[in-house]
Amino acid sequence: MLLLLCAAAVQPVRAEEGMWLPMLISQRIDDMQAHGFRLTAEDVYSINQASLKDAVVLFGSGCTGEVVSRDGLLFTNHHCGFSQIQQHSSVEHDYLKDGFWAMSRSEELPNKGLTVSFLERMDEVTAAVLKGYEPTMSEAQRDSVVKLNSDAIVKSIVNPDKGIRARVEALYYANQYFLFVYKVYRDVRLVGAPPSSIGKFGGDTDNWMWPRHTGDFSIFRIYADKDNEPADYSEDNVPFRPKRFFEISRAGVKEGDFTFVYGCPGSTKEYVTSDEVRYVGEVSDPEKIALRTLRLDIQKKYMSQDPAVRIQYASKNAGVANAWKKWQGEAKGIARLGTVAAKQEYERRFAAWAAGTRYEGLLDRLSGLYARREPYYRAYEYYTETARTVELLQLANNVRTALAAKRPVGELAEAFFKDYYQPIDEEIFVAVLDAFDRQMDPAFKPAYFKEKLAAYGSLAAWRDELYAKSLFTDRARVLALTEADLPQVEADPAWELYNAFYQWYRSELQPVIEEVSREIRLAYRDYMRAQMEFEPDKAFYPDANLTLRVAYGHVAGYSPADAIYYTPVSTLKGIIEKDNPDIYDYNIPQVLRDVYAQGGHEAQPVCFLATNHTSGGNSGSPVINADGRLVGINFDRVWEGTMSDIVFDPDYCRNISLDIRYLLFVIEHVGHAGWLFDEMVFAD
Ligand code: ARG
Ligand code: GLU
């Protein structure tokens, strides 16, 4: 009883939903301050002075990162730096397995192709983008006006010498246009990464889950030329001097504390109709989950029998499992919230309001378009989750593409066979194509597929012959292929099958999908605007599109099911509880066991939950406290809340962050790289 009272007392008012544009943060700042934030709108985003936005970057092309020292030191997630860590790894120096720690700046490792992008500023440019547009124009004419004007705006700003890039983005379904100006630095070096047994601790078993104990971070440094400008890698480059960097708080977080995630969420669809939500929650997600379950079960069966196969398929299995788990939470969340019925109810009220306005009939039109597209779209999704997943067919296509472009196939083939286990592929071939055959209407199957299957009598018979006859099962033969073998490659049954599916998709699905999708997008332009007119008092944040956003909330646990309550902070004690040398995902490095055994570290915080509205792309985002100091690094959501890309539920939607104090702990006790602390600024 006492406990309950305490919990109620710390439960603050709810902020939660929303990914706000930093430029317009003055519209939210009162609410942020009411939730505990102690800084101003100008502190968050300013073009006149250094502000927090100047310490946040788009890391690569799909993650976020934050600058944490005046010498350009940068934090992001381990899974965001994964490919760089992997590229530097070899049998002698397995940085993925053992971790990597530069012990001085001269040991930091350059990464070809890696960039970080700072947002210099953003501006609303709707009027300029639509200049010359007349409502009497066709959509094609509108498109060309938009393109012409956008190109001119971008052209007037870009400056490759200074690393200045610009993009005009259509927000609110092209009702508004915003210019984003970035400064892109391209000498970004690896400074540190924990062993994967820390950075990926829990692997796919714990992915999208709480309780979580993953030390999901990696450390980089941005370099610039002597004038602090972007430059290609050079030994003469010097550490970049940021306009602003995050001070680090070691004070930690507790339930109820204000948190603010500043980063680049990739894609959401919060304003779609009930038809789209029904399709996602009741058709697409469940069907894709079932198809992936087939593949995962087959992979798992062979992986558990043979450690070599487990390594071969670890990354593939992780990739398949990541979305598979996310979709389960999404479908369940949509069903639990009754989102389809809630949207239908909203649409009834909207339609009544729209009667007699120019929006009359809009929802019926959208519904008709969805109905027209659905069978084609469903077939497309089946295709991508079945025929497209057979590795033999992928290899055939990749080899054929390389040969047709006169590129050698050696590297590609070596990489393929290194991680190929044919029994898995053969079993998946039968399983997924059988599902395709049973679930697709005959009108939505390639003629080639129907004929061949009829001729073979069964997928098992087809498989036996395909894998016996195709040259693509034979590493030596594939390695020996040259341009001159193109006719032989194109006559191979694996490429034939790949190509039959692909041509079917191109001729029978894609044209309809593209045409109807274009009309759907246009209808949403009206529907988005109409929703804003329908609810003039509601604050509408634009759907995510990898542009910089602010999400604020507070540290909070949740109840995933009856009689269970998850508290929001995990500790090192939990890592030790999970530790098991026999289970790959839970086999921690010995050094962590040793440090723990010395005592005193039981309560070392590792991860925490909060109510910030985040999505894929927010990985690596700074999690900031009420004073604007870094308390964590965002890296995941809980699977029960992944419907937040469509509908946000404050009871279930939680982002998962690494507690910054665990990062410091790992640098000290595992990396012994305490020299990095000298440049960090701690302010508790
Ligand atoms: N679920 C997180 C995301 O969507 C982390 C994925 C990487 N980790 C993993 N165990 N597969 O990106
Ligand atoms: N792990 C995700 C990423 O890489 C973040 C999780 C999510 O919120 O989707 O962006």
Side-chain angles (χ1 to χ4, degrees):
M1 189 62 210
L2 187 66
L3 218 112
L4 255 175
L5 277 175
C6 291
V10 297
Q11 196 64 47
V13 252
R14 285 175 158 173
E16 290 110 15
E17 178 174 358
M19 306 171 163
W20 309 97
L21 286 174
M23 178 186 133
L24 302 177
I25 207 63
S26 56
Q27 297 169 4
R28 307 299 311 172
I29 198 73
D30 288 349
D31 193 50
M32 290 175 77
Q33 288 168 347
H35 285 91
F37 193 44
R38 284 191 280 264
L39 304 187
T40 66
E42 277 280 296
D43 292 322
V44 176
Y45 176 93
S46 171
I47 49 170
N48 305 311
Q49 64 188 50
S51 58
L52 292 179
K53 79 138 172 62
D54 296 309
V56 186
V57 298
L58 177 68
F59 181 86
S61 53
C63 275
T64 307
E66 53 276 359
V67 183
V68 293
S69 86
R70 53 175 59 82
D71 287 332
L73 198 68
L74 184 104
F75 293 162
T76 186
N77 289 150
H78 186 264
H79 78 263
C80 294
F82 197 82
S83 69
Q84 281 78 29
I85 304 165
Q86 182 170 44
Q87 272 162 37
H88 292 297
S89 296
S90 61
V91 180
E92 302 84 58
H93 304 285
D94 192 345
Y95 300 143
L96 270 183
K97 182 167 164 288
D98 303 326
F100 168 76
W101 305 95
M103 285 305 162
S104 69
R105 290 193 183 161
S106 62
E107 289 179 14
E108 297 172 353
L109 301 171
N111 300 286
K112 228 185 161 91
L114 177 62
T115 60
V116 297
S117 307
F118 289 89
L119 179 68
E120 293 262 303
R121 64 188 163 91
M122 54 181 296
D123 290 311
E124 207 206 317
V125 290
T126 312
V129 167
L130 292 178
K131 192 160 170 242
Y133 167 71
E134 302 288 344
T136 53
M137 285 181 176
S138 70
E139 280 303 328
Q141 285 170 314
R142 185 186 190 273
D143 288 348
S144 64
V145 167
V146 167
K147 182 163 187 331
L148 219 73
N149 288 333
S150 302
D151 287 353
I153 296 170
V154 166
K155 201 161 161 239
S156 71
I157 287 164
V158 290
N159 181 348
D161 289 345
K162 300 258 180 227
I164 300 293
R165 267 199 356 182
R167 275 177 71 90
V168 171
E169 306 271 4
L171 297 185
Y172 299 108
Y173 292 90
N175 281 290
Q176 289 182 37
Y177 294 89
F178 283 79
L179 170 70
F180 290 82
V181 180
Y182 297 97
K183 187 147 182 155
V184 184
Y185 285 81
R186 53 190 189 274
D187 182 357
V188 184
R189 304 189 195 168
L190 179 63
V191 176
S196 292
S197 51
I198 289 176
K200 210 176 177 297
F201 178 76
D204 275 279
T205 316
D206 285 7
N207 190 24
W208 301 110
M209 305 269 275
W210 190 259
R212 188 67 159 275
H213 300 86
T214 312
D216 198 343
F217 74 90
S218 57
I219 306 175
F220 288 79
R221 187 189 307 280
I222 309 167
Y223 279 78
D225 71 13
K226 59 183 188 339
D227 302 319
N228 209 32
E229 293 293 334
D232 288 333
Y233 169 79
S234 155
E235 271 188 37
D236 300 333
N237 286 348
V238 293
F240 164 69
R241 311 236 141 205
K243 286 186 221 162
R244 179 75 191 248
F245 63 92
F246 285 107
E247 296 176 349
I248 295 170
S249 168
R250 285 176 298 202
V253 295
K254 57 178 192 318
E255 186 133 30
D257 282 357
F258 175 86
T259 52
F260 163 2
V261 173
Y262 212 157
C264 310
S267 163
T268 58
K269 38 184 172 187
E270 311 284 347
Y271 306 105
V272 294
T273 64
S274 56
D275 289 316
E276 166 107 26
V277 180
R278 182 197 54 79
Y279 178 72
V280 171
E282 294 171 20
V283 181
S284 175
D285 281 351
E287 293 194 325
K288 289 187 296 189
I289 292 162
L291 291 171
R292 289 199 174 198
T293 303
L294 295 173
R295 286 157 67 202
L296 289 167
D297 286 349
I298 293 165
Q299 290 175 350
K300 224 175 296 162
K301 183 176 76 185
Y302 289 98
M303 287 167 79
S304 67
Q305 289 166 6
D306 182 346
V309 176
R310 187 188 49 65
I311 293 169
Q312 282 185 313
Y313 276 74
S315 168
K316 293 177 193 175
N317 187 263
V320 179
N322 194 37
W324 171 80
K325 214 159 180 179
K326 180 194 161 172
W327 292 329
Q328 296 183 36
E330 186 171 78
K332 240 180 132 167
I334 288 169
R336 185 193 324 106
L337 285 168
T339 306
V340 175
K343 289 242 175 192
Q344 283 167 343
E345 160 58 20
Y346 172 85
E347 286 155 13
R348 270 192 291 277
R349 286 189 289 118
F350 174 89
W353 168 85
T357 74
R358 63 183 159 140
Y359 303 122
E360 180 161 346
L362 176 58
L363 283 172
D364 291 338
R365 185 148 58 83
L366 259 170
S367 233
L369 289 167
Y370 273 120
R372 167 129 198 271
R373 189 178 69 172
E374 182 162 325
Y376 294 87
Y377 200 79
R378 179 170 172 263
Y380 159 70
E381 294 205 295
Y382 254 87
Y383 160 56
T384 59
E385 292 291 330
T386 58
R388 289 284 280 219
T389 66
V390 178
E391 292 178 79
L392 187 75
L393 309 191
Q394 291 170 357
L395 175 68
N397 177 52
N398 291 339
V399 166
R400 191 233 161 227
T401 306
L403 293 178
K406 305 190 194 311
R407 277 188 276 114
V409 299
E411 218 170 290
L412 177 170
E414 293 283 15
F416 178 87
F417 284 105
K418 180 174 152 288
D419 289 338
Y420 185 61
Y421 188 62
Q422 194 174 319
I424 290 184
D425 198 37
E426 290 195 19
E427 211 166 314
I428 286 182
F429 172 89
V430 173
V432 296
L433 289 180
D434 176 59
F436 181 86
D437 187 46
R438 281 186 292 106
Q439 303 298 331
M440 284 289 112
D441 188 276
F444 285 92
K445 291 178 196 171
Y448 178 94
F449 177 77
K450 287 187 278 194
E451 285 156 22
K452 284 276 178 192
L453 186 54
Y456 282 114
S458 75
L459 277 159
W462 189 351
R463 170 205 56 202
D464 290 345
E465 183 153 320
L466 175 69
Y467 285 80
K469 288 229 171 106
S470 172
L471 72 89
F472 289 103
T473 57
D474 186 336
R475 182 173 167 279
R477 277 178 77 190
V478 176
L479 278 169
L481 289 172
T482 69
E483 241 179 281
D485 299 315
L486 203 52
Q488 189 196 347
V489 163
E490 292 183 346
D492 189 273
W495 192 74
E496 246 184 50
L497 176 55
Y498 174 89
N499 193 43
F501 262 98
Y502 182 66
Q503 295 308 333
W504 161 76
Y505 160 69
R506 292 272 297 182
S507 61
E508 295 188 30
L509 305 183
Q510 196 190 28
V512 181
I513 292 172
E514 286 199 346
E515 184 209 314
V516 183
S517 297
R518 190 172 336 108
E519 288 184 46
I520 290 177
R521 271 202 308 280
L522 283 177
Y524 270 116
R525 197 167 79 215
D526 287 342
Y527 186 44
M528 186 75 237
R529 190 172 58 238
Q531 290 184 72
M532 291 167 144
E533 289 173 26
F534 176 51
E535 292 186 287
D537 297 328
K538 181 175 161 180
F540 287 83
Y541 55 92
D543 271 323
N545 62 347
L546 215 59
T547 55
L548 194 60
R549 302 301 174 89
V550 169
Y552 59 97
H554 61 274
V555 175
Y558 71 112
S559 170
D562 182 41
I564 304 176
Y565 182 75
Y566 285 150
T567 55
V569 177
S570 66
T571 63
L572 194 55
K573 180 163 168 279
I575 295 185
I576 299 302
E577 284 170 1
K578 284 179 180 173
D579 177 26
N580 183 339
D582 297 327
I583 301 177
Y584 179 77
D585 285 346
Y586 293 137
N587 183 12
I588 60 173
Q590 187 55 37
V591 48
L592 211 50
R593 293 183 191 120
D594 295 343
V595 176
Y596 191 79
Q598 289 162 13
H601 297 299
E602 293 78 8
Q604 168 63 47
V606 175
C607 296
F608 63 88
L609 292 175
T611 59
N612 302 79
H613 191 179
T614 56
S615 190
N618 269 122
S619 275
S621 298
V623 186
I624 304 159
N625 69 10
D627 295 308
R629 296 188 177 122
L630 192 67
V631 288
I633 305 176
N634 184 74
F635 70 93
D636 210 1
R637 277 176 288 170
V638 299
W639 72 277
E640 297 95 337
T642 49
M643 68 293 184
S644 66
D645 290 347
I646 291 176
V647 56
F648 190 92
D649 178 356
D651 288 337
Y652 288 85
C653 294
R654 297 290 179 272
N655 61 314
I656 307 178
S657 302
L658 169 75
D659 191 305
I660 208 68
R661 293 168 297 171
Y662 186 51
L663 174 149
L664 301 173
F665 176 90
V666 172
I667 291 179
E668 180 181 343
H669 295 287
V670 179
H672 306 292
W675 69 281
L676 292 170
F677 297 142
D678 295 344
E679 62 186 292
M680 297 177 197
V681 175
F682 299 98
D684 293 336

